[in-house]
Amino acid sequence: MSAADKIRHKFQTASVVEKLIGINVLVFILFYVFRTIAFLFQLPSDFLLEWLVFPKEPGEFIFKPWSIITYSFMHSGIWHILSNMLILFYAGSYFLSYFSAKKLLTFYFLGVIVGAMVYMLSYNLFPAFQATGRSYLLGASAGVMAVLVGIATRIPHMGIRLLILGSVKFWYIAAFLVILDVVQIPFGNAGGHFAHLGGALFGYFYSSQLAKGNDIASGFEKAVIWFLALFEGSKKSKPIMRTVYKKTGHTASKASSSKISKTEKQEKIDSILDKISKSGYESLTKQEKDFLFNAGKDT
């Protein structure tokens, strides 16, 4: 197998979270390579950035509507992308245990879109920003916050181990980051913080509606099926994965969960979630974790 084939296989078998992170990192590297080359040969480079980032002016946005998505793949520096990707990795990994890959992409990209709209609205509504010159939004934070708050809303009491802090409940982490954005608004990057809050608000609202049985973004999911196909990989890799995991507990759990009725399945899920809220995720048995994992993939 050639190096190119290995890379392709690795990408196809990676999770949707790993692929999102990979694409963000790749774009970050390519953009800074481009800027370095432009600097060395004294070529203009800002024009590319301006065509991809999201503007605060509605009139400018009309001429580059793609920027409502492309801005999320642009980052201002290494710490910017590092913090976003770390949060996405941990929050997204838990997210996929309760929701499908399609749902994660829906949370992520609608969080990006809502965050951009909140950014534009805030800069054109509040008097504090009336004297502000040209301003642009960039970074994946709004989408990342939508995923983080979305899963924190679903499993608020699950304990997450954080190095020196020990076990911290999911909703504590989400609440801390939201409060941090609110208090930092007067001290700089106000538009960015408003975008983060917009993504967080969407994540909370969408997750809450899903818990009530209302999928308010079902139409958007259909619009991103082509993007989901990219993340799921080619059909050729699927038989390999089925063969490798044919006899594992995950497959057995999935087979058993498919035989029970939807009502019984939901009752079992609710029972497991109640156990998590009382005793934490670590209190679950391996069978319960497997069942919840496979049930989440079918959501």
Side-chain angles (χ1 to χ4, degrees), residues 155-160 167-174 277:
I155 50 171
H157 300 292
M158 176 177 286
I160 309 299
S167 182
V168 181
K169 291 185 178 181
F170 231 127
W171 81 268
Y172 287 174
I173 300 172
S277 66

Side-chain angles (χ1 to χ4, degrees), residues 48-82:
L48 179 60
L49 180 65
E50 291 184 3
W51 273 96
L52 296 176
V53 293
F54 186 79
K56 72 179 180 68
E57 300 295 341
E60 185 176 352
F61 168 62
I62 291 175
F63 292 98
K64 50 175 189 176
W66 57 83
S67 64
I68 201 167
I69 294 294
T70 58
Y71 87 87
S72 67
F73 293 100
M74 312 302 295
H75 289 84
S76 61
I78 186 65
W79 293 114
H80 189 197
I81 189 171
L82 181 61

